[in-house]
Amino acid sequence: MENAATADAKPLAAPLPEVSGLLDALPRQRVPAPTVTAPLPAPATRLPRPWRLLPTPTGTPFTFGFAALLAVTSLITTYASPSLVYALHQGSSTDVAHLVRTPVLVLLASALWVAGGLVSPYALCFLLVLTALERRIGGARTAVVFLLGHVLATLATEGTVGFAVLFGHLPDSSLHRLDYGISFGVATSVGALAGLVRPWLRWPMLLLFGGMLLEDLYEFTDPMTNWGHLISLAIGVSTWPMIRRWARASAA
């Protein structure tokens, strides 16, 4: 019996590793093992993409196509005979005489030329400003903003010329003054874009561009066109509620 009891007896099991060394009857000795939290991945650094400052066929088709058309007309201005260039500019001019006869035609045709060619400051503003505006509100809406300023500022300035001639303040030759180019549309686009950027950029942009326009007006070389630029900028600023709705709709 003694041998059987010895054979049936089993050796005591070794204490579990996690409970070895603990004292009996003392509560709260089992401390949970600390959990190791995996480090969160660092946010990816967004690198600047300078190529987005310029128009592309897929990203900004309106600005890209318009810029290509302006490049063609600028090459014509540079390399064609002066008589042909003058005839083209005269036929596209939004002077009072043309506005009375064929308003729609000349309002569209006058926006196909860059006064001063591709080296004009307005050509560079066109590329940068309209590209930024189109990326925010789309091509069709950018075209609306551009044409709105181009048409309204032209009618305001040339209408003033017409009344001045009618009341004898300007000679009849003023009814045929050359008036063409993209500057009114560009100035309107600058004013509109200012409403979509952050305040730290908005107000310096308006002050710098507006100061340049006021300086041109002070020099009094072409006061009617200079007033048209200021009117265009004001038209662009007046579109802020509309273009902000458009920008939210495009981002949705």
Side-chain angles (χ1 to χ4, degrees), residues 49-172:
R49 294 175 288 178
W51 58 86
R52 287 179 59 85
L53 297 176
L54 296 176
T56 59
T58 55
T60 55
F62 168 73
T63 305
F64 185 86
F66 200 171
L69 188 57
L70 291 174
V72 172
T73 58
S74 297
L75 290 175
I76 293 173
T77 302
T78 303
Y79 295 106
S81 64
S83 59
L84 175 60
V85 171
Y86 178 79
L88 292 172
H89 286 170
Q90 183 64 41
S92 305
S93 175
T94 51
D95 52 59
V96 177
H98 279 113
L99 285 174
V100 171
R101 295 196 303 268
T102 55
V104 176
L105 176 62
V106 293
L107 282 169
L108 294 177
S110 63
L112 302 180
W113 306 93
V114 182
L118 295 178
V119 296
S120 167
Y122 281 99
L124 179 61
C125 281
F126 173 88
L127 289 177
L128 298 178
V129 172
L130 266 75
T131 297
L133 191 60
E134 185 171 357
R135 291 192 186 280
R136 288 165 170 80
I137 64 175
R141 291 163 176 170
T142 301
V144 169
V145 172
F146 181 91
L147 288 174
L148 184 68
H150 176 72
V151 171
L152 293 183
T154 298
L155 294 178
T157 53
E158 291 299 336
T160 303
V161 171
F163 281 111
V165 172
L166 180 64
F167 291 104
H169 298 295
L170 288 175
D172 291 347

